[in-house]
């Protein structure tokens, strides 16, 4: 009887081990990714293959971007960590999702995230699965201002912990290894386009896009810039149509 009991005990132990292993796999923090464009309990084509993909219907919470049809576009595990800000600096990743804006042409999503130490801006192409960090502000915050009407540029505001801000106007066709290389920076000394001396150190208050120009207030000045030209000019506020502007996210 004893050999038989020994065999039964071993079989029972093996069964319990396999059961605990299976339960452990179900509760592990390692995420099994949901394929783009699929919903739990339903078979759907990948999002990038769906011609009818409607990005205007996206919703989000702190942990994911999705829509009412059950399509999950991104979850926090999809955001890279760490993120290479420059050749000499890398920082912790996204944290939580705070804002999402689809491009007017329906091609891409602009995303704002934040964690305890910094804010970031991202571009995501759900058709191809391309996620790029394009804006970063340490110890401050990044705000998602909005898209140009043609969907070729998106604006972020990088609010620093000290005096003065930066605008980052990003061409969506850009591809770089580091966040610092993206966009046209407008702002304080050291920016690609510096603010006029009389408003240096003042906060930037975005107004929005109108045609190819981005308009904003800084101190007593009202300014505009075409990111393709990189020339900062004074503007007449009365000429800007309010219905063409976007609010800050």
């Amino acid at each position: 009887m004893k050999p038989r009991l020994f065999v039964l005990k071993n079989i029972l132990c093996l069964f319990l081990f396999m059961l605990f292993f299976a339960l452990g796999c179900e509760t592990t923090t390692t995420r099994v990714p949901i394929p783009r464009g699929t919903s739990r309990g339903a078979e759907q084509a990948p999002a990038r293959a769906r011609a009818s993909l409607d990005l205007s219907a996206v919703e989000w919470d702190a942990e994911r971007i999705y829509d009412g049809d059950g399509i999950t576009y991104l979850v926090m595990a999809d955001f890279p960590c760490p993120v290479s800000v420059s050749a000499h600096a890398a920082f912790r990743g996204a944290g939580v999702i705070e804002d999402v804006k689809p491009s007017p042409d329906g091609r891409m999503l602009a995303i704002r995230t934040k964690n305890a130490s910094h804010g970031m801006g991202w571009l995501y192409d759900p058709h191809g699965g391309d996620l790029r960090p394009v804006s970063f502000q340490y110890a401050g915050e990044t705000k998602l201002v909005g898209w140009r009407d043609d969907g070729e540029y998106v604006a972020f505001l990088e609010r620093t912990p000290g005096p003065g801000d930066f605008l980052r106007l990003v061409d969506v066709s850009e591809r770089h290894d580091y966040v610092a290389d993206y966009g046209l920076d407008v702002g304080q000394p050291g920016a690609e386009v510096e603010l006029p001396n009389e408003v240096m150190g003042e906060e930037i208050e975005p107004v929005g896009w109108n045609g190819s120009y981005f308009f904003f207030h800084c101190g007593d000045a009202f300014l505009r810039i075409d990111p393709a030209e990189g020339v900062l000019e004074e503007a007449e506020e009365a000429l800007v149509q309010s219905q063409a502007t976007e609010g800050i996210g």
Side-chain angles (χ1 to χ4, degrees), residues 147-150 153 155 169 207-216 223-235 240 244-245:
W147 289 92
R148 203 167 77 174
D149 286 344
D150 60 7
Y153 283 88
L169 307 177
V207 172
W209 295 96
N210 192 339
S212 63
Y213 289 96
F214 187 84
F215 291 81
F216 62 98
L223 303 165
R224 73 176 190 177
I225 187 166
D226 180 337
E229 300 294 333
V231 178
L232 190 63
E233 304 172 321
E234 291 190 10
V240 180
T245 64

Side-chain angles (χ1 to χ4, degrees), residues 15 29 60 79-80 87 116 137 148 168 170-171 192 208 214 218 249:
F15 173 77
T29 55
W60 68 91
F79 288 83
Q137 180 56 57
R148 203 167 77 174
R168 179 164 292 202
V170 180
D171 181 341
E192 292 174 87
F214 187 84
C218 188

Side-chain angles (χ1 to χ4, degrees), residues 128-162:
D130 181 30
L131 178 63
R132 289 170 279 159
V134 298
S135 177
F136 175 87
Q137 180 56 57
Y138 184 76
E141 60 180 331
T142 292
K143 290 184 174 290
L144 172 52
V145 181
W147 289 92
R148 203 167 77 174
D149 286 344
D150 60 7
E152 297 297 328
Y153 283 88
V154 63
F156 293 91
L157 174 66
E158 297 172 351
R159 182 140 281 167
T160 71

